[in-house]
Amino acid sequence: MSISVTSQFPIFKKYKKLVYLDSANSSQKPISVINAIDNFYRSKYSNIGRGVYTLAANATEDYESTRSTLKEFLKAYNGDIIFTKNATESLNLVAKCFGENFLNSGDEILLSELEHHSNYVPWHFLRKKKIMIKFIPVNKDGNLDITNIKSLITNKTKIISLTHISNVTGKKTPLKKIIEVAKSKNIPVCIDGTQAVAHTAVNIKELDCDFYAFSGHKMYAATGVGCLFMKDKWFEKFNPFLGGGGMIQDVDIKNITFANGVSKFEAGTMPAAEVISLKFAIDFLKTTKIKNIEKHENELISYAISKFNKMKNIIFVGKPDKSSSLFSFNIKGIHAHDVSTVFDQDSIAVRAGHHCCQILHKKFNIASSLRVSVGVYNVKQDIDALCESILKCKKLFKIQ
Amino acid sequence: MDLTELYQDLILDHGQKPRNFGKLKLYNHDAKGHNPLCGDNIHLYLNLDKKGIVTDLSFEGSGCAISVASSSIMTEIVKNKSEKKAQELLDAFFKMIKDNNDLKKIDLTENEKIKFQSLSGVNKFPMRVKCATLCWHTLKAAFDNQKQPINSEVID
C-alpha cells in the first residue's frame, strides 16, 4: 500500500482491534485536527466576525482562511463557499432559496433515484407549490440510466440536483454529460458532493455546477460544519436563508437590509473551532495527496470485491465499482442488522440499514443492506477481518 | 458476549420459519409497527372473543431474526390467552429484556417459558432491544385498535 497514516488517528490506538469501515457515514479524525480544536479553545478562542480586539481579529482570520483553503482545494474560483451546519442544511438552503424565487406551479425539478434523503426531502417540500419532481432512473446494475436524459430534461425543468458519488453503490454520476445538457438549456445544477470530497479530486470550476454541497465531518474534520459552494451570481439572486445576527447591513424599526456575499447566508454565531478544524483536515488531505488516497481506497475496495466474489450467498446492491471507496451488500438469508451485530462482536463497524436511501433500496426490493466504506486509515487486514466475520456469521446462521 | 446466547437455535428457527405468519381471515383487532432505523415492520392481526380471549392471532412483515422470532414466539404464547394475561406477559417481557428480571412468578407452561426466555439474551445487546419489543408494542396497539402505526423510535 502506498500510504500509511493510521498511526495519525488516535482512535486506533485506543481501540486496537477496531476495524472501522464506516467512513461514508463519518470519518475518524487525525491528531492534527484534534489538536487544532484543542489549540483554538486553549489559546486562540474568541467569537469570529464580531469584536475589534486582536483575539477576535485573529480568530476571524483563521476562520476566513479556512474558506480560502477550501476554495483552493476544490478549485472553486467562480463563486464562494458558505458555511452551514451540515451538507443537509446546505441542500436545504439551495432548495428553499431557489424554490422561493425561481419555481412556480408546474415547474419541474430533476433528481435521481440514487439520492440520499438530504437531496430529496428538501425538494419534496416544494411539492406544496405544485412543483413536479422527476427522477433519473437507476438500472439493474445500480447505475444512472441517462440514455433518455434529453427527454427527462424538458423546457419546464428549472433545476437539476444530483449526487456526485452514490452513498450506497459508490458509483460516480456521469456529471459531465448531464451538466453539458443542462448548460445548453441554461438550467442550474446542484451537486451533493458529500461522498466525493475526501475520496477523489474535485474541480468545481471544471464541473461548472452552480451549487456544490458537502460536509466537513466526512473529510476528517469536526462535526457541525457543512459547506455550500455557490456561483457568484446566486448570492444576489437569493434571499437570506436564516435571519439573525451577522447577516444584516442595517436594521431599523421598519426596514432591514442584508449583508452581501457569504455573510448574508451565515446567520448567528458560527462553529468557529469546527470550521478551523476543516483547514487542518485539508492540510492532512493535501499532505497525503488525494491521488494517493484514491488509489489506496480503490485498491482496498478492489481487494474486498474480489474476496467477496469468491464467497457464496453474497448479494451486492447494484454492481460494485472497483474504482470507489464503498459498496453495499447483503448475505442471502440473514438480515443486515443481524450481520452487523455479529460484526460488532469482532469490533467491525459497518453501516446497516437503508443508508438514508430508501428509494434505491425499494428499487432493489430490499429494506436494508450493509455498507462497507473505507477511509485513508484502512488496511488490507481490515478487509480480511471483515471476510472472516462473514464466515463466522454464516456459520452462526447455518448458511453456506 | 456470546453470540449463541443471542442467536439461540430456537430464535434462528423461529426467525427462518415464523409461526402464525400471514393475514388472518377473520380478525377484529389489528395494528402496525415500524422501526424506521432498521426498516423492520409488522402488521399484527388478532381475534378477541366476547370473553376477552385471543382466539387467534397472526402477523405479516419483515425484519431481522430477532424481530421475526420475537413476533413468532409472541403469537404462539399469546394465542388462547386473555387480554389481561397478555398484558401481564407484555410487562414481564419488557422487564426481562430491559431490566434482566427473571420469570419465576410467571404463569406459563415449561415449554412456553423456554420460548419466552429464549429472547432474554437481547438484554446484553442494547442496540437490538427495539427489534425484540416491537411486536409486543404492536400487540398493545392492536388491543387498543390504534390506527397510528407504532414507531419504535418514539416508544423505546
Side-chain angles (χ1 to χ4, degrees):
Chain A
M1 291 284 164
S2 48
I3 47 177
S4 167
V5 292
T6 315
S7 62
Q8 294 181 40
F9 290 78
I11 194 139
F12 299 110
K13 283 188 185 125
K14 170 93 178 163
Y15 300 105
K16 294 207 164 54
K17 282 185 179 168
L18 177 63
V19 176
Y20 189 77
L21 295 168
D22 198 19
S23 295
N25 186 353
S26 195
S27 61
Q28 296 296 342
K29 314 305 170 200
I31 189 72
S32 59
V33 165
I34 297 167
N35 283 343
I37 298 167
D38 186 76
N39 188 37
F40 180 69
Y41 281 123
R42 277 180 198 277
S43 37
K44 294 178 135 186
Y45 183 74
S46 152
N47 204 346
I48 51 129
R50 303 290 194 271
V52 286
Y53 46 88
T54 309
L55 207 55
N58 291 344
T60 307
E61 196 186 312
D62 277 357
Y63 178 88
E64 286 306 327
S65 72
T66 305
R67 207 189 306 273
S68 327
T69 308
L70 256 180
K71 281 167 76 173
E72 190 219 313
F73 181 64
L74 300 170
K75 314 277 183 286
Y77 303 126
N78 48 344
D80 216 332
I81 288 174
I82 300 163
F83 291 118
T84 61
K85 184 174 68 185
N86 43 38
T88 298
E89 190 174 282
S90 300
L91 291 162
N92 272 274
L93 189 158
V94 180
K96 183 172 177 275
C97 295
F98 189 85
E100 205 169 65
N101 288 356
F102 297 94
L103 291 175
N104 295 304
S105 171
D107 285 343
E108 292 174 7
I109 298 168
L110 185 63
L111 309 177
S112 87
E113 290 180 341
L114 283 176
E115 297 318 311
H116 187 281
H117 293 166
S118 60
N119 195 25
Y120 171 38
V121 184
W123 301 106
H124 163 80
F125 294 151
L126 297 167
R127 281 178 167 146
K128 265 191 268 178
K129 284 181 77 173
K130 300 209 162 48
I131 309 294
M132 275 267 295
I133 301 177
K134 284 189 170 178
F135 295 89
I136 303 175
V138 162
N139 66 18
K140 62 173 178 21
D141 289 337
N143 299 333
L144 286 189
D145 180 2
I146 57 161
T147 41
N148 297 323
I149 190 73
K150 284 188 178 162
S151 57
L152 276 168
I153 301 175
T154 70
N155 53 12
K156 287 181 180 169
T157 310
K158 291 287 149 52
I159 190 163
I160 301 171
S161 191
L162 299 170
T163 182
H164 193 161
I165 294 179
S166 159
N167 74 314
V168 178
T169 65
K171 195 83 186 167
K172 278 185 189 157
T173 302
L175 289 178
K176 216 181 147 191
K177 284 182 193 168
I178 300 170
I179 294 176
E180 224 174 74
V181 183
K183 289 291 139 192
S184 72
K185 300 192 173 189
N186 217 8
I187 301 166
V189 178
C190 173
I191 306 295
D192 170 8
T194 313
Q195 296 298 343
V197 279
H199 305 283
T200 190
V202 174
N203 186 324
I204 290 180
K205 189 157 192 298
E206 206 175 277
L207 269 176
D208 200 23
C209 54
D210 292 78
F211 311 97
Y212 195 94
F214 57 101
S215 58
H217 73 100
K218 284 183 169 75
M219 56 191 305
Y220 307 105
T223 54
V225 180
C227 305
L228 176 67
F229 162 81
M230 202 149 88
K231 258 190 189 171
D232 287 326
K233 66 171 181 185
W234 298 106
F235 282 86
E236 269 194 39
K237 289 183 176 174
F238 280 2
N239 294 332
F241 176 55
L242 298 170
M247 50 74 74
I248 51 87
Q249 198 171 56
D250 189 65
V251 175
D252 66 35
I253 281 177
K254 279 189 180 161
N255 296 303
I256 299 173
T257 50
F258 303 115
N260 293 320
V262 290
S263 304
K264 183 174 168 184
F265 300 93
E266 292 180 1
T269 291
M270 297 301 286
E274 289 83 350
V275 167
I276 290 163
S277 84
L278 188 48
K279 188 177 162 183
F280 287 80
I282 290 164
D283 283 345
F284 168 77
L285 287 169
K286 281 206 265 191
T287 312
T288 320
K289 291 197 175 73
I290 202 87
K291 251 189 201 171
N292 295 340
I293 295 172
E294 188 167 23
K295 185 168 173 274
H296 173 77
E297 292 177 351
N298 291 355
E299 275 172 20
L300 285 174
I301 289 298
S302 299
Y303 179 65
I305 293 171
S306 64
K307 282 197 93 164
F308 272 50
N309 277 333
K310 287 179 195 134
M311 289 192 277
K312 282 184 187 167
N313 290 316
I314 298 285
I315 307 161
F316 290 106
V317 181
K319 196 173 175 228
D321 185 353
K322 288 179 178 175
S323 314
S324 171
S325 67
L326 67 97
F327 64 86
S328 300
F329 73 102
N330 271 301
I331 304 175
K332 197 176 174 185
I334 319 178
H335 193 280
H337 282 88
D338 294 315
V339 179
S340 186
T341 292
V342 177
F343 285 175
D344 185 41
Q345 293 300 296
D346 292 334
S347 306
I348 298 171
V350 300
R351 175 87 186 264
H354 50 59
H355 325 306
C356 301
C357 268
Q358 279 193 291
I359 292 183
L360 186 66
H361 279 77
K362 283 177 183 171
K363 183 99 180 185
F364 282 102
N365 227 351
I366 48 176
S368 56
S369 65
L370 295 141
R371 180 180 63 194
V372 176
S373 58
V374 296
V376 66
Y377 31 64
N378 288 113
V379 289
K380 268 189 172 178
Q381 285 88 327
D382 294 339
I383 305 298
D384 293 336
L386 174 72
C387 293
E388 278 298 309
S389 203
I390 290 175
L391 294 180
K392 191 173 152 184
C393 192
K394 287 178 166 181
K395 202 176 158 198
L396 184 73
F397 282 84
K398 302 178 176 65
I399 280 170
Q400 274 212 317
Chain B
M1 275 175 282
D2 188 0
L3 279 169
T4 51
E5 230 181 280
L6 180 67
Y7 293 111
Q8 298 180 19
D9 284 346
L10 193 68
I11 303 256
L12 295 181
D13 182 48
H14 276 265
Q16 279 156 3
K17 288 173 282 181
R19 325 295 198 262
N20 302 311
F21 192 78
K23 188 178 176 177
L24 280 187
K25 276 184 186 157
L26 283 172
Y27 63 91
N28 49 20
H29 287 254
D30 77 310
K32 285 179 183 171
H34 184 47
N35 181 340
L37 271 189
C38 313
D40 292 348
N41 65 75
I42 174 176
H43 194 162
L44 192 72
Y45 306 91
L46 65 90
N47 196 47
L48 197 66
D49 72 8
K50 282 173 188 164
K51 293 174 193 159
I53 305 289
V54 179
T55 57
D56 207 356
L57 78 166
S58 76
F59 75 104
E60 282 179 322
S62 64
C64 62
I66 306 294
S67 111
V68 174
S70 185
S71 306
S72 171
I73 287 168
M74 181 190 79
T75 57
E76 281 203 329
I77 291 177
V78 170
K79 202 183 254 187
N80 295 322
K81 293 200 173 58
S82 68
E83 181 180 348
K84 189 169 168 274
K85 179 78 193 172
Q87 295 278 8
E88 281 169 31
L89 286 168
L90 185 148
D91 291 340
F93 189 82
F94 288 165
K95 275 182 187 155
M96 175 178 83
I97 299 281
K98 292 176 179 172
D99 309 329
N100 207 15
N101 270 17
D102 64 18
L103 297 166
K104 274 174 201 156
K105 284 179 195 161
I106 201 150
D107 177 26
L108 286 173
T109 66
E110 263 322 294
N111 186 25
E112 284 173 337
K113 239 183 216 177
I114 289 167
K115 284 181 187 168
F116 199 83
Q117 279 175 317
S118 69
L119 285 148
S120 62
V122 176
N123 174 263
K124 297 198 180 80
F125 296 82
M127 300 296 283
R128 306 303 300 277
V129 165
K130 286 185 171 91
C131 310
T133 54
L134 179 65
C135 60
W136 288 92
H137 283 301
T138 312
L139 176 70
K140 189 171 181 332
F143 282 132
D144 301 341
N145 259 337
Q146 191 181 309
K147 290 284 165 268
Q148 186 73 15
I150 285 292
N151 182 330
S152 61
E153 285 311 295
V154 181
I155 283 178
D156 274 305

